[in-house]
Structure formats: structure tokens, C-alpha cells
Amino acid sequence: MLKPQGNSTRDILSLDGIWNFAVASQDIETEQTWKTNISPRLQIPSHFVIPKGWSQERIFLRIDAATHRGRVYINDEFVVEHIGGYTPFDADITPLVAAGGRLRLTIATKAALPAGLFNYAGLARSVWLYTVPNNYISDITVTTDLFDDARGVINFDVRTYQPVERGRIVVFAIDEDDKVVSQAEGQHGQLIIDPVIAWKPGAAYLYTFRAFIVLEEGTHEALDIYELAVGVRSVQIRGNRFLINGKPFYFTGFGKHEDSPIRGRGFDPAYMVHDYQLMKWMGANSFRTSHYPYATETLEYADRHGVVVIGETPAVGMNLAIAAGKHGWPSQPTFSPDTVSEATQAAHDQDIRELISRDKNHASVVMWTVTNEPAAHETGAREYFEPLVALTRKLDPTRPICFTNEMRAPPTKDRLADLFDVLCLNRYYGWYVDTGDLVAAEKRLETELLAWQERFGNPMIMTEYGVDTLAGLHSVNNTPWAEEYQTSFLQMYHRVFDRVDSIIGEHVWAFADFQTNSTVFRLDGNKKGVFTRDRRPKAAVHYLRDRWSGSQCPLNLLSKSNGQEI
């Protein structure tokens, strides 16, 4: 799904601001709240005027996200419903509104999965009105590759709302000096850029891909225009190495959340820029969008600044053994008609489609995570995930795929790992297991990683490892919850990583403390961040900066087995 943009053929109007807000006392369909004005006593304006100049255009409403189920009404009319709290949806509202007219917009939201996190519901991202011409560019897919050090290619597929029967499609690649470096005609084809400046981690370069629907030969009037920022790069797996532009890449960084004080879960541009600057200062080159698609603006920033991203679906919580173990509940199968079922699989299918549709053109996104911590050891896991893996590969054959494995599915019990390109592990030896005993934890960790390496030989990323740490708590005895223990824990894991050849990345859990549901397992939220929730550093931050920025950085030492150097 293309993000709305304004140009000579399109207009856009942000509806962000303070909305009137009310909590439904019963089902919204019963109350029919959207047919009345909501009191401004709780304001979180819901009346809008359609610009007078939009009389000849198609008018759309777009919601970047409504967590987790959104129902949209224009005046007294139901317009659209969307299930899934982290991907955008839109609706053609042209028949319902008039240029210069006033409308009442109501959006009802309802909380749902993912479980285990603080379950914010509402509008955490932007809402837009936008226009397009009567026939318009409805979708663009670009993929890129590098032929050698000098030449690059942008493969493109341009879709239109209606067939272009009168006119043609023209596309250009434009460099950062606003110079056209390649052009072509047609809905499908290639742009060859020679010489090319590749998009690289830490050294981003973006071309503008500009597509036109133009009138017949001899005229230059554009019926529609759309632009994408495109980084030319390649991604592939070779043996136990992850290659970007043909060179081994070692992931350093975090799992994190869209979470901050006051705002809670949601996109905050000030915090986003601040977080990126902190990661850059530390030497972190990547992160995973745990456990849902982050705001598009986050990926655009990563594109522009050369940060590598692993994109993830919101499929978390598909492991009933975790909850049973925590709460002492009776064990029940995760995959069954009454639990994770065919209906769940259909929703998961849609989540994958929407994630790839939205994020497929971002150079920063190098891999897809299909799910986080499923019950990969249980009967029914393979039958559930095999078609979803096939779907992901069909929708995007250019990127590797992964899932994050939870410790109940070690190499002897896992049923899924061979379906994926990269093995991602979430492990907490020294915290949930062998709590406080880092000697025993080190032995367990190394033994398991070597077993995975022996069984598969795939690249491996530790996508979660960390300990809850209370900022300001210190101990001479390296006690759990103390800042010193967090540092010692990370040092132990890194010693093991450096001894295991197939490890190609380390994402600490987590970047910053974040809010969770109130339980006996959480002290005012999850405290595994190396920063506090308001981004104050704990002691481990300085250790990580030394590891990721110094001469011993794993990225600089990634010639372990095959002699390749960056």
C-alpha cells in the first residue's frame, strides 16, 4: 500500500490533532455513537471540511493504524472495518462527501492481541484525507540488485487503478543531485544505473524513483505522479553468512518497542530521532521491529540513515506453554480448533500480506520475521506455519525470512527451523534459567548454540537476551536486578558468541524499559532496557558502546571461518 503524498497531481491533508474521545458503555453498533457529536469534555477536532478545490478528484481517508480493530464512520454511514493494529487501511469516500462540505468522522477502536504487553487501544498513528486523479498509480513494487561494483538495477512493477488505455507510464531514477540517471517506459521493467552508488549500512544513498502516467506522445502533461526513495542494494545468504552487497554483515543492536512516557505505545517523532541518535552513538547498526510493524516514518528514517531493520508481523503469543508456566495454569495445546486455529492462520496470512505490501520497498528492511516465540516444539506447529512461510516467499522472494525461537524448542524438539533462512534465538540463560549463576548459564548457552550450528549450519542471530535491571541499584556481589549484573550477563553472552562461528548478530533485549500489563512478574513494566523508559543510560550502555564501536567490534572481526573481510 502506497503512502499518501502531495504533488502536482495529488493533495493531502493531515487530520492529526486533538480528537473528542468517549468510552463506549456497550457495543458501538448498539449505541450508534457515530450518529451523534461526541462531547469535547474528553479530548484526545472530529469535524472536518473537505477543501473546495477537491471537486474533481477521488477522495480517500487513510488511517495509518487503529489498534487493534478499527471501525470507521462518515456522518451516519459505516465506511470500513480493519482488524490489525499496526498496518494502514484506507477507503474511497468520494460518494459520501462533497468539496467544501463538512463531515463528521468517527473511528471506534478496540483492544485485542498481542498479549503480554500493555494493551493500548486507539489511534497511535496519523489519519489523513488525500486525493488522487480518476485514474492513478495504485501500487509500485521495486527490487534492486548490484551487478558488480559499478552497476545497479532497479526492477519495477507499476500498477494503476484502471488500465492506461490513453497514455503511457514513464519512470525515472534520479540521484541525490536531482539528475536523471536512468529512465524507461511501461508498467514493468528495469532501470540500469551505471555507475551506481549503493545503499550501505551506515552509509545510505537513496535514488528517487519517479513514475508518471502521461498523455499520448508529444505531450508532457502528467495525469498522475508518484515518488519513492529507493536504495540500491543486494541481500543474500551464503553458507552461514548474511551478505549485504556481497559482504558479510554482523547485526548489532536491539529489540525495542514503540513506547515512551506519557504517549505510551505509539509513534513519537522526537523519541524516534532521539533513539536513532543513541543507537548510532553506541555503534548499533540494526534493530528488529518487535513485535509488530513500526510506523512507516521509522523505516523512512532507517532508509535515509543506513540502519538495517528486521521487519516483524504482530504474531506473538502463539505459545500457550509460556503462560501456563508463569501462572500455573493447566497445559493445553497451542494449535487446535479452540486455540491457535484456522481462523488464527487466516488472520496471520493477512498480517503477512499487509506487512509486505506496506514495507516491501524499504532498502533498510533486509529480512521478515514471520512470528515471535511460537510453540515450535508442539504438534501442529509445522502444519500451521508451512503455508505462511510459502506465502511470505511468494510475496517477496528477494528477502530471507526467519522466526524467533523460544527455549522450549531446543534443537532436539524444534519442528520449524529448517523452513527458514536464518535462525533467530531468544534465550535467557542467567535470568529465567540459572538465575544469578552466570558460570552455569555460559555452559548451557554455548552447548545449545553449538548444537544448533551442528544441526543446521545456518546463520544465527541472538534476537533476545537480557535481564531486568533496576536503574540505580548497585551491588558488589553481582546480584540480579543490579546494573553490574546486566553488564556481566551481556559480557558472558558475548564471550560465547565470539566462540560460535555461525553467530552473525546480537540484538539485546531491550533498548529501553517499556510498560507492560501489571503482573507479579513485572515491576512497573519490563525493566530489561539498557536505557530507562525516559532514555537515561544504565551502566551496560557504556560496555555495549565499547564492544560495538571499538576495534574488537564483531563486524570488524567477521572473517572467522571463510576469510572474507568487509
Side-chain angles (χ1 to χ4, degrees):
M1 176 181 283
L2 296 179
K3 183 180 179 181
Q5 61 182 226
N7 56 40
S8 62
T9 64
R10 299 168 174 238
D11 284 322
I12 185 169
L13 175 66
S14 171
L15 303 186
D16 293 358
I18 307 298
W19 289 50
N20 296 341
F21 174 79
V23 178
S25 59
Q26 54 184 315
D27 182 78
I28 188 171
E29 292 295 327
T30 302
E31 287 190 353
Q32 297 192 339
T33 312
W34 69 90
K35 294 184 178 180
T36 62
N37 290 327
I38 295 175
S39 169
R41 285 176 297 180
L42 280 176
Q43 286 191 318
I44 60 163
S46 55
H47 286 80
F48 307 100
V49 175
I50 302 296
K52 189 175 181 179
W54 288 9
S55 60
Q56 302 301 313
E57 309 297 323
R58 303 180 71 91
I59 302 172
F60 279 77
L61 172 72
R62 172 178 165 120
I63 294 92
D64 280 349
T67 310
H68 292 271
R69 172 180 292 190
R71 289 180 63 85
V72 180
Y73 305 84
I74 296 291
N75 300 323
D76 291 351
E77 299 294 326
F78 168 73
V79 176
V80 66
E81 179 178 55
H82 181 263
I83 299 174
Y86 304 100
T87 44
F89 60 104
D90 61 11
D92 186 342
I93 62 172
T94 309
L96 300 176
V97 299
R102 189 176 182 86
L103 66 87
R104 182 180 65 250
L105 170 62
T106 308
I107 304 175
T109 63
K110 184 177 181 179
L113 290 175
L117 308 173
F118 194 89
N119 229 343
Y120 298 102
L123 300 177
R125 299 178 187 166
S126 292
V127 180
W128 309 89
L129 289 174
Y130 70 96
T131 69
V132 293
N134 287 318
N135 192 16
Y136 59 94
I137 296 167
S138 58
D139 194 23
I140 298 173
T141 301
V142 297
T143 61
T144 68
D145 204 351
L146 298 170
F147 291 133
D148 46 47
D149 290 337
R151 293 188 303 149
V153 60
I154 300 174
N155 303 293
F156 65 88
D157 180 83
V158 179
R159 302 294 176 93
T160 56
Y161 175 65
Q162 298 172 338
V164 181
E165 297 176 348
R166 180 172 166 266
R168 67 194 198 281
I169 295 173
V170 182
V171 301
F172 298 90
I174 302 167
D175 67 16
E176 291 188 357
D177 294 322
D178 207 29
K179 177 183 177 183
V180 174
V181 294
S182 187
Q183 67 183 77
E185 289 195 17
Q187 290 189 250
H188 326 281
Q190 289 186 334
L191 292 170
I192 305 297
I193 304 176
D194 186 7
V196 69
I197 301 176
W199 186 96
K200 300 177 182 178
Y205 190 94
L206 296 177
Y207 292 89
T208 298
F209 176 90
R210 186 177 294 162
F212 295 80
I213 303 177
V214 298
L215 290 175
E216 294 291 348
E217 195 73 34
T219 71
H220 298 283
E221 180 182 352
L223 302 180
D224 193 24
I225 304 171
Y226 198 88
E227 293 184 351
L228 288 174
V230 176
V232 180
R233 55 99 178 108
S234 67
V235 174
Q236 62 186 130
I237 303 295
R238 184 181 301 158
N240 65 353
R241 293 291 180 258
F242 192 101
L243 307 183
I244 298 180
N245 301 341
K247 298 180 179 180
F249 180 75
Y250 191 97
F251 295 77
T252 61
F254 300 95
K256 59 197 306 289
H257 274 299
E258 287 186 321
D259 177 83
S260 59
I262 309 300
R263 173 178 289 277
R265 173 82 60 77
F267 173 67
D268 187 310
Y271 264 101
M272 179 196 72
V273 173
H274 187 53
D275 287 356
Y276 269 110
Q277 292 304 311
L278 288 174
M279 288 190 288
K280 180 180 180 180
W281 173 77
M282 294 179 70
N285 59 25
S286 56
F287 65 90
R288 175 169 64 110
T289 69
S290 46
H291 302 294
Y292 42 85
Y294 290 0
T296 299
E297 292 85 351
T298 303
L299 302 182
E300 291 172 337
Y301 198 97
D303 291 341
R304 180 59 61 189
H305 295 275
V307 179
V308 172
V309 177
I310 301 174
E312 186 164 319
T313 73
V316 59
M318 296 182 180
N319 194 333
L320 299 184
I322 295 177
K326 282 184 177 181
H327 301 284
W329 296 340
S331 178
Q332 60 177 320
T334 298
F335 303 96
S336 78
D338 298 321
T339 52
V340 177
S341 62
E342 290 184 358
T344 313
Q345 190 182 55
H348 198 160
D349 179 295
Q350 188 62 27
D351 285 335
I352 292 170
R353 293 177 186 274
E354 292 186 5
L355 170 68
I356 294 176
S357 175
R358 192 196 72 164
D359 295 345
K360 61 190 174 183
N361 296 322
H362 290 284
S364 58
V365 177
V366 300
M367 185 160 57
W368 305 115
T369 308
V370 173
T371 181
N372 179 73
E373 295 189 349
H377 61 296
E378 289 190 28
T379 301
R382 194 172 186 94
E383 292 78 5
Y384 177 90
F385 281 104
E386 238 176 343
L388 298 176
V389 170
L391 172 68
T392 306
R393 294 196 188 281
K394 178 182 178 181
L395 294 174
D396 183 8
T398 70
R399 288 177 175 89
I401 62 172
C402 65
F403 81 105
T404 63
N405 171 286
E406 188 261 341
M407 64 190 309
R408 289 170 179 79
T412 55
K413 296 182 178 180
D414 171 84
R415 299 168 182 257
L416 298 179
D418 62 297
L419 298 175
F420 296 87
D421 304 300
V422 176
L423 178 61
C424 294
L425 301 172
N426 297 351
R427 292 296 183 269
Y428 292 92
Y429 295 116
W431 187 244
Y432 296 122
V433 177
D434 296 320
T435 308
D437 188 348
L438 294 180
V439 174
E442 185 167 355
K443 292 178 180 178
R444 284 182 187 259
L445 176 64
E446 185 166 8
T447 298
E448 183 181 350
L449 292 184
L450 290 174
W452 282 113
Q453 181 173 264
E454 177 67 22
R455 181 178 175 189
F456 290 110
N458 285 12
M460 296 191 293
I461 304 173
M462 189 63 69
T463 39
E464 286 186 28
Y465 61 110
V467 296
D468 284 278
T469 304
L470 189 60
L473 178 64
H474 297 280
S475 172
V476 296
N477 297 320
N478 219 8
T479 304
W481 285 91
E483 292 191 44
E484 289 78 11
Y485 188 75
Q486 186 179 41
T487 299
S488 296
F489 174 95
L490 296 174
Q491 289 171 330
M492 180 272 285
Y493 270 70
H494 295 157
R495 287 195 300 271
V496 175
F497 296 167
D498 293 345
R499 297 195 294 264
V500 178
D501 183 66
S502 291
I503 290 289
I504 54 95
E506 51 197 58
H507 278 176
V508 175
W509 189 261
F511 174 74
D513 296 346
F514 57 93
Q515 190 57 264
T516 63
N517 293 331
S518 297
T519 72
V520 297
F521 301 103
R522 300 292 181 220
L523 179 64
D524 188 33
N526 191 305
K527 294 293 190 291
K528 291 188 179 69
V530 299
F531 292 93
T532 63
R533 199 176 184 213
D534 61 355
R535 278 45 172 187
R536 295 182 181 274
K538 301 175 188 178
V541 164
H542 299 284
Y543 159 66
L544 289 172
R545 184 171 187 255
D546 287 343
R547 174 171 173 83
W548 293 343
S549 298
S551 61
Q552 295 301 303
C553 173
L555 184 64
N556 298 328
L557 301 176
L558 195 58
S559 57
K560 296 177 184 176
S561 66
N562 57 10
Q564 292 178 319
E565 295 183 358
I566 293 179

